[in-house]
Amino acid sequence: MRGVNAALGAAGLAAFLALGEAVPRLGLVEEAYFPPTSRIAEALADETADSAFWTALGDTLTGWALGLAIASCAGIVAGVLISVVPYLRAATASTIEFLRPIPSVALIPLAVLLYGTELRSVLLLVVYASFWQVLIQVLYGVQDVDPVADETARSYGLGTWARIRHVLWPTALPYVMTGVRLAAAVALILAVTSELVIGAPGLGKRIGVAQASQAVPELYALIVVTGLLGLLINVGARTVERRALAWHQSVRGEVAV
């Protein structure tokens, strides 16, 4: 089944690349605005031969990884704390619902004011956007804990930390992994966006420079790189999720299928 899916995916990608080559060649769109796939591939090869490209890629991945790590740790700790401390969930509900919908890009002026075009500006935006993905999933996961199992643990004399480890955490872990996977994609989006808008070092800044200099093939090549990064991050996150939840019914059922 996986082989068939991989073949279908490859066929779809090949058809998409062929369409990208044919559309400008047939004059349906101007090559100046949408170059053929072959020209984009040539520009991508030139980019990978430039050491500055790899430096920019490293800057983007650094902001992404640090922001995701901070957001994941903070989201897990805050989610568990809010869930297990009496009345804290009710006390923070309105604050969470107020802060969560604020778009991270609305914080760009604040980030520039505080940190300029440094890495800390990128981290501020990445952490803010990714934190909510993890926190909300943790809160949902804790709510899904079986009250009978919790009461049984209490009756056996398990303390708070023991119940968190043996009852709450196994139930919440699938939600946590989903939150981290979603946060990984959001972190990449915000890392590239902040670099593009703020001018912080990274792929986003190179995209802005290519746009300003009318280097259209290079612009599309860099966009392709960000797409490939997103694909690799999603595949990696799903792989980690399957391994971390190998014991869970959903993953065991997926493997069986």
Side-chain angles (χ1 to χ4, degrees):
M1 187 63 179
R2 290 184 179 179
V4 174
N5 291 336
L8 290 175
L13 178 60
F16 177 76
L17 294 176
L19 182 64
E21 181 72 23
V23 167
R25 297 292 187 188
L26 295 174
L28 299 178
V29 296
E30 294 187 27
E31 290 191 22
Y33 303 113
F34 188 84
T37 302
S38 57
R39 288 188 59 194
I40 297 175
E42 292 175 2
L44 180 58
D46 293 338
E47 284 289 332
T48 56
D50 187 356
S51 61
F53 165 79
W54 296 105
T55 301
L57 178 62
D59 291 333
T60 297
L61 290 177
T62 298
W64 168 80
L66 287 177
L68 178 62
I70 295 171
S72 298
C73 293
I76 292 171
V77 172
V80 172
L81 185 64
I82 290 173
S83 300
V84 300
V85 175
Y87 306 112
L88 190 56
R89 177 66 185 273
T92 58
S94 58
T95 303
I96 291 174
E97 293 305 318
F98 169 74
L99 294 175
R100 185 165 64 95
I102 297 176
S104 296
V105 292
L107 301 178
I108 287 178
L110 176 62
V112 174
L113 180 64
L114 292 175
Y115 305 118
T117 59
E118 298 179 7
L119 174 62
R120 289 182 291 179
S121 294
V122 177
L123 290 178
L124 174 62
L125 300 174
V126 170
V127 170
Y128 185 85
S130 304
F131 170 78
W132 303 110
Q133 307 294 326
V134 180
L135 175 66
I136 298 302
Q137 288 296 322
V138 172
L139 294 178
Y140 284 144
V142 175
Q143 284 183 342
D144 200 36
V145 172
D146 187 353
V148 175
D150 188 50
E151 289 299 327
T152 302
R154 291 176 183 271
S155 66
Y156 276 97
L158 271 68
T160 300
W161 292 111
R163 293 200 308 274
I164 291 175
R165 177 182 177 184
H166 298 290
V167 179
L168 185 151
W169 184 247
T171 302
L173 185 58
Y175 294 86
V176 172
M177 297 306 300
T178 299
V180 172
R181 176 163 51 83
L182 295 174
V186 171
L188 178 63
I189 294 171
L190 264 298
V192 176
T193 301
S194 58
E195 292 164 357
L196 177 61
V197 177
I198 297 174
L203 290 176
K205 183 177 181 179
R206 284 184 71 86
I207 290 174
V209 171
Q211 179 190 19
S213 60
Q214 299 296 313
V216 178
E218 288 75 12
L219 173 65
Y220 278 95
L222 291 168
I223 293 174
V224 168
V225 171
T226 60
L228 291 174
L229 274 181
L231 176 62
L232 291 175
I233 287 171
N234 184 63
V235 171
R238 287 189 176 276
T239 301
V240 172
E241 184 177 11
R242 284 195 297 268
R243 291 185 178 181
L245 300 176
W247 53 271
H248 196 263
Q249 181 179 1
S250 60
V251 174
R252 286 190 283 113
E254 178 183 332
V255 172
V257 171

